[in-house]
Amino acid sequence: MLEGLAKRLENSRWLRWVTTLLYFAVPLWIVVKVDIWRGLGLLIFMGSPFLGVFLGCRLSRFVCKRFMKTSEDLEVKLSPAFGAFGFTFLPAIFGKVGNLYFGTNIEMLALGGHFLWSCFAALLFFGIGPKKPQT
């Protein structure tokens, strides 16, 4: 019974949109009801991991093609590593900016600590990344 439900939920197209809407519903409510600047800062902070993955993967492709001219195998391994780095480090940067300019009051460590953990995550994803290009 639960397996059938899980398969139906996996195949449904609207589930991603509903969960994304719920993820962004709280900052949008803060924008409308409480404080527009604080809500916008929180919305930017919560959207930054997605932007970090997108920019990290694009940056890895750009670096591999333009500067390093590496094989496709290394490019396939570097893309998740750069995405993991962006996923973990970009929210720290946007959180600091949100605290400074939007008054979000997000408690954070120093940027050096976030950078260290982001490098660790990138190394981990580089190590467990795919071995061959997917066709």
Side-chain angles (χ1 to χ4, degrees), residues 14-89:
W14 59 269
L15 183 65
R16 289 185 214 121
W17 293 106
V18 169
T19 54
T20 304
L21 178 67
L22 290 175
Y23 182 75
F24 289 110
V26 172
L28 288 174
W29 181 79
I30 291 173
V31 165
V32 173
K33 295 289 184 185
V34 180
D35 183 18
I36 192 165
W37 293 111
R38 187 173 178 194
L40 284 176
L42 192 60
L43 190 64
I44 291 169
F45 174 74
M46 291 179 74
S48 62
F50 303 110
L51 181 66
V53 171
F54 177 75
L55 290 178
C57 292
R58 295 288 176 191
L59 181 66
S60 72
R61 290 187 191 125
F62 179 75
V63 166
C64 286
K65 294 216 184 290
R66 301 284 181 185
F67 297 113
M68 294 180 7
K69 301 205 191 285
T70 61
S71 66
E72 202 171 316
D73 296 337
L74 185 62
E75 182 180 342
V76 167
K77 286 184 73 79
L78 278 178
S79 185
F82 274 56
F85 182 83
F87 181 82
T88 54
F89 192 61

Side-chain angles (χ1 to χ4, degrees), residues 90-123:
L90 207 58
I93 292 173
F94 282 152
K96 290 286 185 181
V97 169
N99 285 343
L100 288 175
Y101 296 111
F102 296 113
T104 54
N105 297 329
I106 301 170
E107 289 190 30
M108 304 187 71
L109 301 173
L111 278 178
H114 285 286
F115 182 78
L116 178 68
W117 283 110
S118 299
C119 290
F120 177 72
L123 284 173

